[in-house]
Amino acid sequence: MLIKRNPGWRIPESRATPESVYLDRRRLLQAMGLGAGLLATAGAALELRPARAADPDPTAGLYPAKRNDRYALDRPLTPEQDVTTYNNFYEYGSDKDIWEAAQELKIRPWTVKFEGMVEQEREVDIDTLIRAMPLEERLYRHRCVEAWSMAVPWTGFPLKALVDYAKPLSSAKYVRMQTFQNDEAPGFGQVFYPWPYVEGLTMAEATNDLAFMVTGLYGKPVPRQNGAPLRLVTPWKYGFKSIKSIVRIGFTDERPVSFWEQLQSSEYGFWANVNPEVPHPRWSQAMERVLGTGERVPTLLYNGYGEYVADLYKGLENSERLFT
């Protein structure tokens, strides 16, 4: 069910965060002392390749899945064209126009390995895994750390169902996820990034009702540029926590050090919860630009999902940096 409300939060354009402040994380590389020559070399390596022919998806008949109406929106869905052509996927480049290059990703065959503190380590074919899970559609807000946002109809299954499937030991405290790494994706030639892309959640976060593993988008299998064939979505966190194209899921009693945390821990922490009152070191998080309309609206604490997740962090406020 899509709930529309009159936007009573309209503000003067003069109060909006300047777009130039937040749209380009490549300034981070310059702040780290990487010279123009290195950036130019990296840019040359990221030249778009021709799109590969679409591989047949053995699970295509599972879509569209039934919508779970518990997760409603306060805004219209973002047009599919915008969601599928405006993407962060650093394995294929540091700009937003990488969707054509991402078609090079071969997503069949694809396996996911369950490892670490589990009853038994195993590697599972992605189609077997998807068919073993309870697929449903959820409408979620998505908030990028770069201060843009969108409203998306994801299809997938609760991360909790995947945790149960993996059978972790009771002593496991964290879930560690890792994306693919191969010789074909041009981003891996950028040696200043700490490849492969790694993300992590606490077990409490991973088994929260909102944590969602995505296999579909707009009633179809999820496109490569959006994280095919399997990605994480944690809508109360900034988007960089929602790792794409996962190949390894491990359970551990040590907190994982994530990709962006390794790159610049002073700007990107482990928790990465959305909070409009805590600015990124280089831009405000108070407002967000809605993809598709360009409208600027106030950002909500926990991206508006506090009723689901706020209790996860009680008692940590004084000892942890919970917000990016």
Side-chain angles (χ1 to χ4, degrees):
M1 179 177 65
L2 181 62
I3 298 177
K4 295 184 179 181
R5 299 174 181 170
N6 292 326
W9 26 248
R10 294 186 185 275
I11 64 165
E13 180 72 19
S14 60
R15 288 179 53 195
T17 305
E19 186 168 353
S20 61
V21 173
Y22 59 76
L23 283 182
D24 193 353
R25 258 189 286 177
R26 280 180 288 182
R27 293 180 183 176
L28 170 61
L29 305 179
Q30 296 170 336
M32 294 170 62
L34 297 171
L38 181 56
L39 289 174
T41 301
L46 296 177
E47 185 175 355
L48 291 180
R49 303 178 182 182
R52 63 180 290 120
D55 296 327
D57 188 330
T59 67
L62 301 178
Y63 306 90
K66 184 178 179 181
R67 181 173 296 176
N68 186 334
D69 290 332
R70 182 184 183 193
Y71 306 98
L73 288 173
D74 61 348
R75 62 193 67 175
L77 286 176
T78 303
E80 181 177 357
Q81 174 74 11
D82 293 308
V83 173
T84 57
T85 60
Y86 189 87
N87 311 101
N88 281 325
F89 201 163
Y90 279 75
E91 287 82 351
Y92 286 95
S94 56
D95 59 36
K96 298 294 186 293
D97 188 22
I98 53 80
W99 70 270
E100 288 183 295
Q103 305 313 306
E104 286 291 314
L105 178 61
K106 186 177 181 181
I107 57 175
R108 294 296 189 285
W110 190 280
T111 59
V112 179
K113 184 174 183 180
F114 296 96
E115 59 189 1
M117 301 175 70
V118 293
E119 291 182 8
Q120 182 178 359
E121 293 192 340
R122 54 181 168 152
E123 196 163 1
V124 181
D125 173 75
I126 186 63
D127 299 315
T128 300
L129 178 63
I130 291 174
R131 292 183 184 280
M133 293 293 115
L135 291 187
E136 64 182 43
E137 183 180 72
R138 294 186 182 185
L139 308 184
Y140 276 168
R141 291 184 294 274
H142 180 91
R143 175 60 157 79
C144 183
V145 73
E146 297 166 334
W148 54 266
S149 65
M150 57 186 180
V152 187
W154 303 111
T155 300
F157 50 88
L159 177 51
K160 185 181 185 303
L162 191 67
V163 171
D164 293 341
Y165 183 87
K167 295 182 168 54
L169 303 180
S170 60
S171 50
K173 297 180 181 179
Y174 300 93
V175 182
R176 180 187 184 275
M177 302 184 189
Q178 180 178 314
T179 194
F180 77 100
Q181 186 170 3
N182 60 31
D183 295 330
E184 297 179 359
F188 295 124
Q190 300 179 95
V191 296
F192 42 82
Y193 283 128
W195 303 114
Y197 203 109
V198 169
E199 262 305 341
L201 299 172
T202 66
M203 289 294 290
E205 291 176 320
T207 56
N208 181 271
D209 288 343
L210 279 185
F212 200 56
M213 300 302 292
V214 165
T215 63
L217 180 65
Y218 291 95
K220 295 167 286 189
V222 65
R224 291 166 173 79
Q225 64 271 24
N226 294 99
L230 182 68
R231 68 168 290 171
L232 171 69
V233 166
T234 49
W236 72 99
K237 294 179 177 289
Y238 291 112
F240 68 84
K241 291 293 289 188
S242 294
I243 182 172
K244 295 179 173 181
S245 303
I246 298 167
V247 297
R248 304 173 79 99
I249 299 175
F251 296 85
T252 176
D253 57 3
E254 296 183 5
R255 181 186 293 185
V257 181
S258 61
F259 178 89
W260 284 101
E261 189 178 7
Q262 291 182 66
L263 185 65
Q264 187 72 311
S265 60
S266 64
E267 296 193 3
Y268 305 102
F270 172 79
W271 299 100
N273 296 319
V274 176
N275 189 338
E277 300 299 323
V278 178
H280 183 280
R282 291 179 285 125
W283 57 77
S284 171
Q285 295 289 9
M287 305 293 296
E288 61 196 61
R289 177 175 61 92
V290 179
L291 197 63
T293 69
E295 194 169 29
R296 288 177 167 82
V297 301
T299 293
L300 303 174
L301 180 64
Y302 294 114
N303 201 23
Y305 294 102
E307 64 180 294
Y308 297 94
V309 299
D311 287 346
L312 294 174
Y313 308 104
K314 285 187 176 178
L316 295 177
E317 298 90 342
N318 296 325
S319 60
E320 293 276 4
R321 188 163 64 92
L322 299 177
F323 310 100
T324 299

